């Protein structure tokens, strides 16, 4: 139908009961019909991982006018693939991941299940956005992010995004946002990533932890600088990982 409302597919990696996805649904509902397919429990750090060793299952959680919610036993990327294959009656106009509890700036984009949602949507040719807040608190305050989430999603619905390009949007944990900064990904790496956790006399148990070393701390065009200074950081992100600048050089090697 020509007057169909936009169809928005939503997922996350914190699980169906996380406050972040509930807030995201609330912010997006005025923009179109929302279908949610989210993991049945938290699956943070799964990136684009797929479930291949066992079947996955989904079930209906809630159905209202303009909103249908499902939960799925798989990973975030599984949720997107399964939604396209089973519950959507047409190709969505937008895929949205989040709102994640914890930022996905800098190299975190590679590990993030939230961005796994976004990358999968992008690979399927749908404009896709990931939203994250710099707070891991279960009851984090998403109020200030709401108008930005709605405006960014509305603009992407209107204008679209280039092929194989998605948006990684991060919010500082403050109610006094200064506006938007369009950023590049901060360069850096995680260090001291494991903490020993002796268990019943066995010292070979470890918890994943770590500290991020920011190699661009004074660079005002990065996502970390924007977040540290109270701005919403929007980083355009490509899923084509080809190093085009290296192609001609490699041709001389072989």
């Amino acid at each position: 139908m020509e007057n169909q409302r936009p169809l928005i597919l939503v997922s996350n990696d914190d699980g169906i009961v996380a406050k972040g996805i509930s807030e995201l649904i609330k912010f997006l509902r005025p923009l179109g019909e929302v279908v949610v397919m989210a993991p049945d429990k938290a699956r943070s750090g799964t990136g684009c991982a797929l479930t291949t060793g066992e079947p996955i299952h989904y079930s209906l959680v809630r159905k209202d006018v303009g909103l249908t919610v499902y939960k799925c036993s798989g990973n975030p990327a599984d949720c997107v693939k399964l939604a396209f294959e089973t519950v959507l009656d047409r190709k969505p106009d937008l895929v949205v991941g989040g709102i994640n509890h914890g930022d996905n700036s800098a190299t975190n984009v590679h590990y993030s299940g939230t961005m796994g949602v976004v990358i999968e949507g992008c690979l399927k040719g749908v404009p896709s956005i990931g939203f994250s807040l710099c707070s891991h608190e279960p009851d984090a305050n998403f109020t200030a992010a709401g108008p930005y989430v709605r405006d960014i999603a509305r603009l992407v619905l209107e204008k679209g995004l280039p092929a194989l390009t998605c948006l990684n949007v991060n919010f500082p944990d403050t109610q006094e946002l200064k506006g938007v900064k369009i950023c590049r990904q901060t360069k850096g790496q995680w260090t001291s990533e494991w903490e020993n956790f002796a268990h019943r006399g066995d010292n070979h148990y470890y918890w994943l932890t770590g500290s991020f070393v920011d190699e661009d701390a004074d660079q005002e065009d990065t996502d970390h600088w924007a977040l540290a200074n109270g701005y919403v950081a929007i980083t355009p992100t490509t899923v084509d990982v080809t190093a085009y600048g290296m192609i001609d050089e490699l041709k001389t090697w072989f």
Side-chain angles (χ1 to χ4, degrees):
M1 302 178 191
E2 291 183 6
N3 60 352
Q4 269 185 333
R5 300 183 75 210
L7 178 60
I8 304 171
L9 175 63
V10 170
S11 191
N12 72 346
D13 70 359
D14 290 317
I16 192 69
V17 300
K19 182 177 180 180
I21 196 168
S22 295
E23 294 292 282
L24 178 61
I25 293 165
K26 180 177 71 178
F27 300 149
L28 293 178
R29 285 191 74 176
L31 301 180
E33 179 184 349
V34 176
V35 175
V36 179
M37 177 75 82
D40 55 10
K41 61 183 178 180
R43 287 183 174 80
S44 296
T46 53
C48 295
L50 301 176
T51 301
T52 60
E54 60 186 10
I56 62 174
H57 175 267
Y58 80 90
S59 59
L60 178 66
V61 174
R62 173 185 174 193
K63 188 171 181 61
D64 296 329
V65 176
L67 173 65
T68 309
V69 180
Y70 302 91
K71 64 180 180 180
C72 170
S73 65
N75 293 320
D78 293 323
C79 290
V80 177
K81 285 181 176 293
L82 190 65
F84 270 76
E85 191 75 18
T86 59
V87 302
L88 296 179
D89 60 4
R90 66 185 192 275
K91 186 175 181 179
D93 300 283
L94 185 67
V95 171
V96 185
I99 300 172
N100 192 63
H101 291 249
D103 81 272
N104 281 312
S105 62
T107 57
N108 291 342
V109 67
H110 296 286
Y111 309 118
S112 164
T114 298
M115 289 305 293
V117 169
V118 177
I119 289 169
E120 186 61 39
C122 190
L123 288 171
K124 290 188 175 300
V126 178
S128 302
I129 316 167
F131 292 107
S132 305
L133 177 73
C134 296
S135 171
H136 291 279
E137 293 298 320
D139 194 33
N141 190 343
F142 295 91
T143 304
Y148 289 92
V149 168
R150 193 174 292 120
D151 285 348
I152 293 166
R154 177 181 54 78
L155 285 167
V156 171
L157 281 169
E158 289 177 2
K159 299 176 180 296
L161 291 171
L164 300 181
T165 302
C166 51
L167 298 184
N168 181 16
V169 182
N170 288 274
F171 296 96
D173 186 20
T174 177
Q175 295 304 298
E176 298 179 2
L177 297 172
K178 295 179 180 178
V180 168
K181 289 282 187 183
I182 308 304
C183 310
R184 65 175 174 87
Q185 178 182 310
T186 297
K187 294 183 176 70
Q189 60 179 299
W190 286 92
T191 61
S192 305
E193 295 184 88
W194 295 100
E195 180 180 353
N196 184 252
F197 184 74
H199 181 69
R200 297 182 178 178
D202 187 341
N203 291 326
H204 297 157
Y205 286 88
Y206 287 82
W207 279 109
L208 182 65
T209 178
S211 300
F212 185 78
V213 177
D214 188 342
E215 298 172 4
D216 285 329
D218 59 344
Q219 301 298 305
E220 297 185 8
D221 62 339
T222 66
D223 50 13
H224 266 202
W225 186 95
L227 294 169
N229 287 275
Y231 291 94
V232 180
I234 301 181
T235 306
T237 302
T238 59
V239 300
D240 180 351
V241 295
T242 306
Y244 289 98
M246 191 65 182
I247 289 176
D248 288 341
E249 171 67 17
L250 283 176
K251 286 178 179 178
T252 69
W253 293 14
F254 300 100

